[in-house]
Amino acid sequence: MKRVYNFGAGPAMLPTSVMEQARDEMLDWNGMGISVVEISHRSKEFEALLTETDELIREVSGLPDNFEILYMHGSAQMQFAAVPFNLLGLNPAHKAAYVETGNFAQLARKEASRFGNITIAASSEASNFDHIPELDVSALDPDTSYVHLTSNNTIFGTRWNQFPDTGNIPLVADMTSELLSRKLNFDQFGLIFAGLQKNLGPSGMAVVLVRKDLIGHALPQTPSLLNYATFEKNHSMPNTINTFAIYIMNLMLKWLKAQGGLPAFEQLNAQKAKLLYDVIDSHDFYIGSAQKAHRSHMNVTFNLKDSALDKKFLDEALARDLYALKGHRLVGGIRASIYNAMPLEGCQTLADFMKEFAQQNG
Ligand SMILES: *Cc1c(COP(=O)(O)O)cnc(C)c1O
């Protein structure tokens, strides 16, 4: 059997130990002689797994009791609709402000624009999203229902190091590509959502961490399966939940905890990213795409000075089992996605390859 270092942006690599456990338990989960994908989501065993998953999220992240945990279908982009449906009604003006820091931020803003009065509060589009723009909080209308931002920009390789203080206006963050990779102060947020497929498990579902007082204000036309209140009332199971995704996330959370939790991963992720940025910064051969002060710890994006060498770079990387390093089609170049499951050795191997490739082709 061969396992490559998978630098793909998502669905992304999962820890081998998690995959092995899932394999070993595939036919006989929980000593029941049945697979977790065959069991009723209403069974007491699955209910227990879901409750344990809630507890693990709280324990690992430090999520306070005034937040609800919801598991919803449709991954991150379904939340681009769910958020305005549920939160625009917080104020009769139905206004929201979006910070544009990349493609997903734009998609979120465009979707919300179908339901309310949406403004762009700040944008870095003019410089091809190479940094996080300043958000002038004092310029926000007090009747704004929420402010939306994308905490880590998966395609452009930037992240918010600090989050803005939006006062009484709830701050909503799409954290799909970094949730549980760094410590957070939840007091700063009204709602955080993330598709599972980058740091948390398989694709197809989102986890939504929402302040309880923000639930129950959905617009009247909100579909029941996009309404946070429906999910809160039914422990995220108004209909059949993706049992397999919850199971894998449960294993991921246990793995995360056993490896030292967020303090350990925050440090490890910084160290992993630094290995790659150091090579970029010490070789003219490479050009980092994000401004240094705003660099992501999850998605390291760069170009070769001579883009004609991109294919050779990717082919030779693959020959060393460094997989899926091609940049997103919107920006080209190279992207190394290094979520929690990417070990330090994976980044070291890539850093060594990058040095060698620069020497041989520079
Ligand atoms: C990957 C990603 C998405 C993707 O949305 P899906 O609906 O899960 O495919 C959205 N937002 C961010 C920030 C992402 O990184």
Side-chain angles (χ1 to χ4, degrees):
M1 186 193 74
K2 150 173 139 168
R3 293 273 292 168
V4 298
Y5 288 120
N6 178 6
F7 292 92
M13 76 177 285
L14 296 174
T16 303
S17 63
V18 165
M19 303 292 268
E20 283 171 345
Q21 186 173 346
R23 179 197 61 197
D24 293 346
E25 297 178 344
M26 194 49 153
L27 298 184
D28 180 3
W29 176 66
N30 214 15
M32 297 174 75
I34 188 173
S35 170
V36 71
V37 297
E38 299 171 305
I39 199 170
S40 168
H41 59 299
R42 306 285 177 206
S43 62
K44 68 177 188 321
E45 291 83 1
F46 185 79
E47 284 267 12
L49 179 80
L50 192 61
T51 299
E52 184 188 52
T53 306
D54 292 337
E55 288 162 2
L56 283 162
I57 289 178
R58 285 193 195 278
E59 190 184 342
V60 166
S61 72
L63 186 73
D65 287 343
N66 63 328
F67 276 75
E68 194 66 54
I69 303 170
L70 310 176
Y71 309 99
M72 296 180 71
H73 307 285
S75 203
Q77 295 196 49
M78 195 73 96
Q79 294 303 314
F80 295 176
V83 165
F85 268 132
N86 284 279
L87 301 191
L88 279 174
L90 287 169
N91 189 292
H94 291 185
K95 275 187 199 166
Y98 278 64
V99 184
E100 290 207 343
T101 50
N103 181 54
F104 290 118
Q106 267 181 332
L107 288 173
R109 191 260 302 162
K110 283 178 189 159
E111 184 72 353
S113 299
R114 306 175 60 216
F115 310 111
N117 308 311
I118 309 301
T119 52
I120 300 173
S123 172
S124 53
E125 188 175 18
S127 59
N128 200 25
F129 301 119
D130 69 344
H131 68 286
I132 300 296
E134 279 301 323
L135 172 65
D136 181 3
V137 175
S138 68
L140 295 169
D141 282 340
D143 59 357
T144 303
S145 291
Y146 65 91
V147 177
H148 177 284
L149 60 77
T150 312
S151 69
N152 181 79
N153 296 280
T154 323
I155 295 174
F156 297 90
T158 61
R159 76 159 192 176
W160 292 75
N161 290 309
Q162 262 122 37
F163 295 100
D165 179 359
T166 53
N168 289 329
I169 306 174
L171 181 61
V172 174
D174 176 357
M175 293 207 178
T176 298
S177 49
E178 70 163 7
L179 188 63
L180 301 189
S181 72
R182 65 194 281 196
K183 291 177 277 179
L184 292 174
N185 173 7
F186 287 99
D187 295 347
Q188 294 177 290
F189 299 95
L191 186 151
I192 291 169
F193 65 87
L196 300 195
Q197 73 273 23
K198 311 234 160 111
N199 245 337
L200 309 172
S203 57
M205 289 205 84
V207 61
V208 180
L209 312 175
V210 53
R211 233 171 56 207
K212 287 177 180 167
D213 61 292
L214 301 180
I215 302 177
H217 307 274
L219 300 178
Q221 69 270 34
T222 304
S224 330
L225 289 185
L226 287 182
N227 193 325
Y228 296 149
T230 315
F231 282 75
E232 182 187 41
K233 210 178 328 145
N234 297 287
H235 198 192
S236 292
M237 299 199 288
N239 69 334
T240 314
I241 197 168
N242 181 339
T243 51
F244 186 69
I246 297 296
Y247 163 72
I248 296 287
M249 181 165 54
N250 179 284
L251 297 184
M252 281 294 286
L253 288 160
K254 286 176 182 156
W255 172 82
L256 202 77
K257 190 177 138 183
Q259 306 288 314
L262 294 199
F265 276 96
E266 183 170 280
Q267 205 186 1
L268 176 66
N269 289 327
Q271 197 186 351
K272 280 153 51 185
K274 186 172 184 302
L275 279 176
L276 303 179
Y277 288 127
D278 280 352
V279 178
I280 293 168
D281 292 340
S282 57
H283 294 77
D284 288 342
F285 189 82
Y286 299 111
I287 306 161
S289 20
Q291 289 183 19
K292 285 186 187 174
H294 303 252
R295 281 172 163 174
S296 168
H297 289 189
M298 294 283 105
N299 310 96
V300 176
T301 52
F302 58 98
N303 286 276
L304 307 194
K305 206 169 184 178
D306 176 5
S307 64
L309 288 169
D310 282 6
K311 188 177 178 314
K312 190 174 183 213
F313 180 95
L314 293 168
D315 288 347
E316 289 186 18
L318 188 57
R320 298 191 189 198
D321 293 339
L322 302 168
Y323 175 74
L325 283 160
K326 196 174 181 354
H328 190 273
R329 60 197 142 74
L330 285 176
V331 293
I334 311 294
R335 170 173 58 179
S337 297
I338 52 172
Y339 306 118
N340 285 347
M342 174 60 68
L344 186 66
E345 306 84 72
C347 290
Q348 187 62 61
T349 307
L350 175 57
D352 292 344
F353 166 70
M354 286 169 66
K355 283 183 216 163
E356 213 180 292
F357 190 84
Q359 271 148 22
Q360 284 168 3
N361 297 279

